Amino acid sequence: MYLQINNIKLTPSQHENEIIKFINKKYGISASSFKVLKRSLDARNKNDIYYNFRILIELENNTAAKLLKFDEIEEYQPVPVPETVKGSFHESIIIIGAGPAGLFAALRLIESGAHVIVLERGKRVEDRMKDIEILENTGVLNPDSNSLFGEGGAGTYSDGKLTTRINRPEILWFYKKIIENGAPPSAAYESKPHIGTDRLQDIVKNIRKSITESGSEIKFSERVTDLYISGGRITGVATSAGNEFFSGNIILASGHSARDVYSLLKEKNIALEKKGFAAGVRVEHPADEINSIQYGKSQYITYLPAAEYSLAYNSKSTGRGTYSFCMCPGGSVINSSSENGELCVNGMSMSGRDFRYSNSAIVVTVKKEDMGDDPLSGVEFQREIEKKAFSAGGGNYKAPAQTIKSFLKKSVDRSIRETSYRNGITPSQLEDFLPEWITKEIRTALSFFDNKMRGFISGNGVFIGAETRTSSPVRITRDESFQSLSVKGLYPAGEGAGYAGGIVSSAVDGIRCADA
């Protein structure tokens, strides 16, 4: 019989191998092995920080039955991984975009028996890195190959968080496939799993290999420039490389920053609607400061990972939320621009999370009523901020920056400490690029944040702007069959379609579109 044992506690200095000795002694059994089902770090009490485990063991039925009297032990009920349904396909399936939604839709369809052609506007992941380095070193942006566009999508140059609020059975298939392609097994059981940009690059290469070795194709530098529609049904696409691809079934997984795709959809009278998102800045502190705030003077400080945080404040007077987003412990602030003369930033971490600084977005909710009537007015809202941020930074993709304390005093810094942002920073004021109502919300929230995390308002805390690409400002509306309300055979998927946020939910949405 398989048993699940909950609430096993280990100090950060103890090794997982000690679990087997602990359970054998506590329950008088002689188990030889176990499997971790869940592991989480509990640092709420800085004087008692520990890892909490849920494990699986197999015992002889009579022995197992005796252990069921303990409250923390129960019979294990496995959740089956959703099987892929085999299909009969008479043509290739086109997938637009090689981000999480597109890649996992491709893997799912290939397993179903389909031939897939993935069209990606950007380059292979290894070539993207070269273009990102050119941007960081010279200030020259490639609009089709950067931290947002290219193989793996925007998630490749991030912290690689695999946390999600959704609870869909397809998540199990996602974890199975990402582990098969190089993710550590812990990705399936950590309470807050992350991969890191370094590992993600290898995983994306392995997924590419899985796709191409199946006989399917990934075509790079193929930005979709036109959609062919006949009789209310999709029939194919044209690309920037001068090629045409034809299919009656196309998954559109172009990402939340493919603004030209939104414009094309509007031109083709495909149903779109505005969607709320959030905008603000990145805040960066020395990692040691965040570790000290979160862990105090714990005796286990040398064993603990770079500390995370999650902050949220809801204003009763305005009805808006201000919150941290995409927190990157031991990481870097990076450029995430995709259009010339417009600046936005994001955060990333390597798998070790061992860089000098930790950063997070601090953003304010932007409601649909804050925008104009046009379904693409949210895109223009973002663009206006990004243009002002580019100007405030002084050009060349230098970022405007302001210390937290100067922001609260409404003053400009004479100088600012070195930051992780490689394009360089220019002392500025957040009001130079953000609407006044956003900066007002952030000022109000900061005192709440500092009450929750004493020391958050630090002389070393620096705001770097602007952060605008938290999620899509547009939704490509679809029906219960996952097809566009306007065009049959067109399946909008992932974060760019407005139905997901983050790597896992985007991948799962791609899987569901593939199944549909």
Side-chain angles (χ1 to χ4, degrees):
M1 182 186 298
Y2 287 98
L3 295 181
Q4 176 178 305
I5 306 180
N6 305 307
N7 299 323
I8 297 175
K9 298 179 181 179
L10 291 184
T11 69
S13 63
Q14 290 179 294
H15 194 276
E16 286 183 14
N17 291 341
E18 296 186 41
I19 288 177
I20 201 71
K21 298 177 184 177
F22 170 79
I23 62 172
N24 282 344
K25 181 178 180 180
K26 180 175 181 179
Y27 302 112
I29 58 177
S30 56
S32 58
S33 63
F34 67 94
K35 178 182 179 181
V36 177
L37 297 175
K38 185 64 79 175
R39 180 176 70 178
S40 60
L41 179 66
D42 192 327
R44 290 173 294 179
N45 182 347
K46 296 178 177 59
N47 296 316
D48 185 24
I49 297 175
Y50 60 88
Y51 282 100
N52 197 330
F53 288 83
R54 181 191 309 154
I55 68 163
L56 173 68
I57 62 170
E58 183 180 12
L59 294 173
E60 186 271 331
N61 286 354
N62 289 336
T63 303
K66 294 176 183 178
L67 297 187
L68 291 174
K69 66 181 180 181
F70 293 95
D71 292 338
E72 69 273 18
I73 299 179
E74 57 189 291
E75 186 173 354
Y76 176 65
Q77 302 294 333
V79 179
V81 176
E83 293 183 5
T84 302
V85 178
K86 296 295 181 181
S88 177
F89 299 92
H90 306 291
E91 62 179 0
S92 297
I93 310 299
I94 295 173
I95 297 174
I96 301 172
L103 291 177
F104 280 85
L107 292 175
R108 188 75 164 182
L109 283 165
I110 289 166
E111 195 168 285
S112 297
H115 177 268
V116 171
I117 300 173
V118 181
L119 303 178
E120 170 54 49
R121 71 190 300 154
K123 300 179 183 179
R124 290 173 175 82
V125 68
E126 54 268 38
D127 295 325
R128 283 178 74 184
M129 194 64 242
K130 297 174 185 177
D131 289 324
I132 291 170
E133 288 176 353
I134 290 171
L135 173 61
E136 291 174 339
N137 294 330
T138 69
V140 176
L141 172 71
N142 182 335
D144 283 329
S145 179
N146 44 61
S147 64
L148 293 175
F149 294 142
E151 187 179 24
T156 303
Y157 294 93
S158 70
D159 185 60
K161 292 176 182 62
L162 300 185
T163 51
T164 180
R165 294 179 181 177
I166 66 170
N167 186 23
R168 299 267 335 158
E170 294 87 359
I171 290 175
L172 298 176
W173 194 87
F174 163 80
Y175 281 124
K176 176 175 178 283
K177 286 299 174 183
I178 201 167
I179 290 170
E180 284 177 3
N181 283 284
S186 60
Y189 63 74
E190 292 283 4
S191 64
K192 295 180 180 179
H194 76 101
I195 301 295
T197 291
D198 48 344
R199 282 179 176 168
L200 274 168
Q201 292 180 40
D202 290 333
I203 291 167
V204 167
K205 291 176 189 176
N206 290 337
I207 291 175
R208 180 208 309 163
K209 185 178 179 182
S210 298
I211 291 171
T212 56
E213 287 186 348
S214 75
S216 287
E217 306 166 65
I218 303 182
K219 296 184 177 293
F220 297 100
S221 300
E222 296 273 5
R223 174 169 42 86
V224 170
T225 56
D226 200 4
L227 300 175
Y228 298 152
I229 301 168
S230 178
R233 185 171 188 91
I234 197 77
T235 59
V237 301
T239 74
S240 57
N243 297 317
E244 295 178 312
F245 300 88
F246 297 95
S247 177
N249 289 282
I250 296 177
I251 291 179
L252 178 59
S254 50
H256 66 34
S257 293
R259 293 166 170 174
D260 55 335
V261 172
Y262 294 141
S263 296
L264 175 61
L265 295 173
K266 181 184 175 184
E267 178 188 321
K268 296 290 183 178
N269 295 315
I270 291 173
L272 305 170
E273 64 182 22
K274 296 183 294 183
K275 188 180 77 65
F277 58 103
V281 288
R282 279 267 147 187
V283 66
E284 180 179 86
H285 294 81
D288 287 345
E289 282 193 7
I290 298 300
N291 292 347
S292 179
I293 292 170
Q294 296 297 76
Y295 297 145
K297 297 180 180 179
S298 173
Q299 62 180 311
Y300 303 115
I301 195 74
T302 57
Y303 298 97
L304 291 165
E308 301 179 59
Y309 62 80
S310 178
L311 298 166
Y313 173 77
N314 293 303
S315 171
K316 293 181 180 179
S317 60
T318 64
R320 294 188 190 275
T322 302
Y323 57 96
S324 62
F325 173 78
C326 187
M327 199 266 153
C328 297
S332 304
V333 177
I334 63 169
N335 184 287
S336 61
S337 305
S338 60
E339 295 181 327
N340 285 308
E342 300 173 16
L343 170 69
C344 58
V345 298
N346 195 9
M348 62 165 274
S349 298
M350 297 298 187
S351 56
R353 287 179 165 177
D354 53 2
F355 287 8
R356 289 173 55 195
Y357 300 106
S358 293
N359 70 81
S360 175
I362 300 294
V363 291
V364 177
T365 53
V366 179
K367 303 175 184 178
K368 289 190 285 186
E369 51 265 36
D370 296 320
M371 314 170 205
D373 295 331
D374 190 285
L376 303 189
S377 58
V379 172
E380 294 310 312
F381 184 97
Q382 292 175 329
R383 277 182 169 145
E384 182 178 355
I385 292 175
E386 291 169 16
K387 288 175 183 176
K388 289 181 178 179
F390 185 86
S391 177
N396 219 37
Y397 294 98
K398 293 178 70 176
Q402 187 175 24
T403 63
I404 296 177
K405 290 189 173 181
S406 290
F407 170 67
L408 291 172
K409 295 175 183 176
K410 299 187 178 181
S411 62
V412 179
D413 298 279
R414 291 184 179 180
S415 63
I416 298 177
R417 65 157 175 83
E418 179 188 28
T419 72
S420 64
Y421 183 72
R422 291 187 59 185
N423 284 82
I425 58 170
T426 300
S428 182
Q429 290 183 293
L430 269 56
E431 281 82 4
D432 291 340
F433 57 92
L434 289 175
E436 187 272 337
W437 60 265
I438 288 183
T439 59
K440 185 177 179 180
E441 295 286 346
I442 294 174
R443 278 196 179 90
T444 303
L446 278 173
S447 60
F448 177 85
F449 292 169
D450 196 63
N451 284 333
K452 187 173 181 181
M453 289 179 61
R454 290 292 183 187
F456 190 83
I457 298 177
S458 156
N460 288 317
V462 178
F463 286 125
I464 302 172
E467 172 100 9
T468 54
R469 311 291 181 92
T470 53
S471 65
S472 172
V474 183
R475 177 169 285 120
I476 309 169
T477 51
R478 66 191 189 192
D479 60 22
E480 292 182 357
S481 70
F482 291 83
Q483 296 178 77
S484 163
L485 293 178
S486 308
V487 180
K488 292 300 179 185
L490 182 65
Y491 295 79
E495 195 163 345
Y499 292 96
I503 293 173
V504 178
S505 61
S506 294
V508 166
D509 198 61
I511 293 166
R512 296 181 72 199
C513 283
D515 287 350

